[in-house]
Amino acid sequence: MIIRFLNTQKNIIKLKKLTKIYFLLLSLSLSGCGGNSSENIPPTVDILNVEFLHTVTDTVDPANRIVVVEADVDDIDGSVSDVNWSILSSHQIDLIDSDTKVVRFNAPLINSSEIDLFVLEIEVTDNQGSKTTNSVDIDLNDDLIIFVPLISAKRGEEVEVNSLIFGRKNKISGLNWTVSNGVEVTLLDANTETVTFLAPSSSTISEVHLDLEVSYMDGSDNQIFKAFVILLD
């Protein structure tokens, strides 16, 4: 009987050890599979949009160009407590609203076909201290603006209409000026940035309207820019 009791006690001890090992392995397994509900999930951040904005009135100032970058941030198990944009490239540019989802900065538009790579990073922190980063590469020279100012000219004199083109001009594959309001004038150099013609002498004609059609190297849709020439005595 004593031997049987000892054997029984040994079996109980073994069973307890096996039970402890089982629960330990089960706990580790649940933790590895996300079963631990206290584990924090880092925030998410995606770059939504990069936009170049120009202020155009009766003139265009290529130095006054604003770049706007928008991000989408979220935290599914808490809240976003901090947003911070920073520059990773060597550009000396001041960021505006760098602690919000939408950051802005001024980057003058220059006429160049060279790539000017600006690298911007956003870091998002949630309410439990977890951080997530994302970055975007922006070619600051990958921009183009075309503007034709309103001009006036005397009747019977030569008129020169100049289109103002700023940015990466090699995006353009062709230019074509045409008269759009039916006035009979002969256009010279109609496939260049500057077109000339002799203004009508008739006092019954007060304006000459021109269209500048621009085609692009990448095959995107042609654009039409309007030009208005007011005739004076």
Side-chain angles (χ1 to χ4, degrees):
M1 292 293 295
I2 295 176
I3 294 176
R4 287 181 180 178
F5 175 77
L6 291 175
N7 287 338
T8 301
Q9 289 291 92
K10 289 180 180 179
N11 290 335
I12 292 173
I13 293 172
K14 288 181 180 179
L15 181 59
K16 288 183 177 179
K17 288 183 178 180
L18 290 173
T19 302
K20 289 181 179 179
I21 293 173
Y22 169 78
F23 281 108
L24 177 61
L25 293 175
L26 179 61
S27 176
L28 292 173
S29 176
L30 290 174
S31 176
C33 295
N36 186 0
S37 60
S38 64
E39 183 178 355
N40 181 39
I41 299 175
T44 59
V45 53
D46 296 300
I47 307 296
L48 295 181
N49 187 44
V50 177
E51 187 174 10
F52 297 97
L53 301 179
H54 308 270
T55 301
V56 179
T57 54
D58 55 344
T59 60
V60 175
D61 182 1
N64 186 21
R65 178 182 62 159
I66 298 296
V67 183
V68 180
V69 184
E70 181 182 1
D72 178 51
V73 301
D74 192 21
D75 187 50
I76 63 174
D77 64 343
S79 61
V80 172
S81 60
D82 184 62
V83 174
N84 182 58
W85 294 88
S86 59
I87 301 171
L88 298 185
S89 53
S90 59
H91 295 80
Q92 300 299 312
I93 292 177
D94 294 327
L95 300 180
I96 304 169
D97 297 329
S98 60
D99 58 350
T100 68
K101 293 186 294 184
V102 181
V103 66
R104 297 177 295 122
F105 57 91
N106 179 265
L109 177 60
I110 62 174
N111 295 327
S112 175
S113 60
E114 300 296 324
I115 295 175
D116 183 14
L117 201 61
F118 178 81
V119 184
L120 193 61
E121 182 183 74
I122 180 173
E123 181 183 72
V124 179
T125 306
D126 67 14
N127 60 316
Q128 298 187 59
S130 292
K131 300 179 183 292
T132 302
T133 61
N134 201 347
S135 62
V136 59
D137 297 343
I138 305 171
D139 181 4
L140 295 181
N141 288 343
D142 190 23
D143 194 15
L144 180 70
I145 183 170
I146 302 172
F147 177 71
V148 184
L150 178 69
I151 65 171
S152 61
K154 289 186 177 182
R155 290 183 175 86
E157 294 188 356
E158 186 178 76
V159 182
E160 182 179 278
V161 182
N162 184 39
S163 59
L164 304 178
I165 302 178
F166 302 101
R168 187 165 287 170
K169 293 185 179 181
N170 63 357
K171 285 187 170 188
I172 298 174
S173 61
L175 301 170
N176 185 49
W177 294 92
T178 58
V179 180
S180 61
N181 68 333
V183 178
E184 293 186 3
V185 296
T186 300
L187 301 181
L188 303 177
D189 300 319
N191 300 117
T192 66
E193 295 179 25
T194 302
V195 65
T196 59
F197 62 90
L198 186 65
S201 299
S202 174
S203 60
T204 61
I205 301 174
S206 60
E207 293 183 355
V208 177
H209 298 175
L210 303 179
D211 282 350
L212 173 61
E213 183 176 12
V214 181
S215 54
Y216 299 97
M217 296 294 295
D218 62 2
S220 56
D221 293 340
N222 292 0
Q223 285 185 291
I224 302 292
F225 298 87
K226 300 288 186 180
F228 301 95
V229 181
I230 300 174
L231 301 181
L232 306 173
D233 294 326

